[in-house]
Amino acid sequence: MKMVITSWNPAGALRRVLRYAFGDLNLAAVTASVFVENARSVGVLVKSGFDIEGRTLRPASARSGEREVLLFKATRASFAHAALSQAVGRA
């Protein structure tokens, strides 16, 4: 079977993963971390219902040492709120 992806929507893909995590798997929360300078990933996480929980330093590579990372968390409630906000925005 051949699958052709005509467009990539990271926020849509993440929302599908979160629906599975909170629905089928019944998880209480999902966490993520992203390098501070990765603004697009930060935007996708926030748009999908993740809240910033903190920041820390993580090893990046042997040459660059440590880099600052933002820590995110989404709960069933924050995801539902983000989904509702998206639906209202489209109406």
Side-chain angles (χ1 to χ4, degrees):
M1 173 185 221
K2 184 176 180 179
M3 182 186 292
V4 177
I5 298 174
T6 57
S7 66
W8 173 243
N9 178 350
L14 181 56
R15 282 192 297 273
R16 284 190 293 278
V17 168
L18 291 174
R19 261 195 305 273
Y20 176 72
F22 294 128
D24 295 352
L25 298 178
N26 199 30
L27 297 179
V30 175
T31 61
S33 61
V34 63
F35 290 119
V36 171
E37 63 272 8
N38 192 339
R40 286 187 180 186
S41 290
V42 169
V44 167
L45 291 172
V46 170
K47 185 177 181 179
S48 299
F50 281 80
D51 297 314
I52 296 176
E53 291 284 304
R55 50 180 70 219
T56 189
L57 293 176
R58 293 253 170 97
S61 68
R63 264 189 283 164
S64 61
E66 293 182 325
R67 290 170 61 189
E68 190 172 17
V69 171
L70 293 173
L71 306 172
F72 288 87
K73 179 178 173 182
T75 62
R76 187 175 285 111
S78 68
F79 172 64
H81 178 74
L84 180 61
S85 297
Q86 292 295 314
V88 169
R90 280 184 249 130

